[in-house]
């Protein structure tokens, strides 16, 4: 039986922290779907299409495109999981800060769909403090973000700022 998982988030843009979770989750499941939420489109830097494209390029570069798929989605996460026959939601957990939100989200998702389990992977020690929000902030202020992002994603951020 194929074990399918979804890894949802805003990925605005995909960072090396996200990529680390994708690589590790791809070793556990037969198929991993990176789900890019479009519900907060107005607050995001990149459109859902741009975020999907960046994630696809990173996944192809690390050679995982045969088992990791990227999808934009809107609406309830558990509906998206059911649609894809996924029985697991993967989330990354950074030290302390993520815990409360992630705990609530996992419990609420379980309450509305108890056939889908949430599985947490602890952020790797060198990725603990990497977040899309801080990376964008550093970039906006002229800092070098190449240690946090794939080079293609850095270019997309550069282009966005120029617009
Ligand atoms: P962010 O919090 O960076 O805006 P997302 O909403 O796209 O990211 O997060 C999607 C998932 O990836 C969440 O479970 C989040 O905790 C996790 N995640 C984000 N950054 C990292 C990281 N550096 N290491 C591990 N997991 C991460």
């Amino acid at each position: 039986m194929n074990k399918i998982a979804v890894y949802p988030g805003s990925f605005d843009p995909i960072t090396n922290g996200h990529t680390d979770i994708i690589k590790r989750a791809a070793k556990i499941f037969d198929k991993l779907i990176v789900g890019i939420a479009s519900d907060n489109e107005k607050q995001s830097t990149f459109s859902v299409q741009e975020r999907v494209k960046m994630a696809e390029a990173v996944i192809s570069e690390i050679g995982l495109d045969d088992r990791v798929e990227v999808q934009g989605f809107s609406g309830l996460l558990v509906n998206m999981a059911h649609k894809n026959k996924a029985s697991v939601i993967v989330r990354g957990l950074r030290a302390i800060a993520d815990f409360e939100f992630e705990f609530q989200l996992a419990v609420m998702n379980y309450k509305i769909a108890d056939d889908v389990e949430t599985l947490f992977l602890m952020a790797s020690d060198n990725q603990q403090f990497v977040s899309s929000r801080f990376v964008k902030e550093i970039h906006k202020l002229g800092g070098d973000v190449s240690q946090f992002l794939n080079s293609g994603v850095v270019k997309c951020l550069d282009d966005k700022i120029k617009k």
Side-chain angles (χ1 to χ4, degrees):
M1 203 180 82
N2 269 1
K3 267 278 167 212
I4 304 171
V6 293
Y7 174 36
S10 37
F11 301 94
D12 186 38
I14 185 168
T15 67
N16 292 344
H18 294 127
T19 308
D20 180 60
I21 297 289
I22 292 170
K23 280 185 192 160
R24 290 160 58 203
K27 286 189 203 151
I28 305 174
F29 298 99
D30 299 302
K31 183 175 169 191
L32 181 72
I33 296 156
V34 176
I36 304 197
S38 64
D39 288 336
N40 281 335
E41 188 82 321
K42 282 199 193 90
Q43 288 141 3
S44 58
T45 304
F46 293 97
S47 70
V48 69
Q49 290 86 351
E50 289 170 323
R51 287 181 274 149
V52 166
K53 252 176 111 177
M54 286 185 283
E56 280 176 345
V58 171
I59 287 159
S60 151
E61 209 175 297
I62 58 177
L64 285 178
D65 41 345
D66 57 334
R67 54 204 308 189
V68 181
E69 186 187 311
V70 185
Q71 276 182 25
F73 78 99
S74 60
L76 278 181
L77 169 60
V78 292
N79 290 348
M80 186 268 207
H82 284 152
K83 202 180 103 206
N84 285 287
K85 299 191 172 21
S87 53
V88 175
I89 294 168
V90 171
R91 297 285 288 176
L93 211 52
R94 288 161 291 191
I96 313 171
D98 283 338
F99 183 78
E100 195 169 341
F101 175 75
E102 292 290 342
F103 185 43
Q104 279 183 13
L105 189 68
V107 172
M108 291 309 280
N109 279 329
Y110 194 75
K111 277 185 192 289
I112 52 177
D114 65 5
D115 56 338
V116 184
E117 285 287 349
T118 299
L119 179 85
F120 293 104
L121 292 178
M122 306 307 283
S124 296
D125 60 351
N126 59 339
Q127 302 294 340
Q128 285 288 341
F129 300 101
V130 180
S131 74
S132 303
R133 185 161 73 89
F134 280 119
V135 170
K136 284 187 287 191
E137 198 64 33
I138 294 169
H139 180 267
K140 200 165 106 188
L141 300 171
D144 177 10
V145 291
S146 58
Q147 60 177 309
F148 310 119
L149 302 175
N150 168 281
S151 56
V153 178
V154 176
K155 191 169 176 306
C156 292
L157 256 187
D158 288 342
D159 292 346
K160 196 49 101 179
I161 291 288
K162 277 185 219 140
K163 273 184 193 163

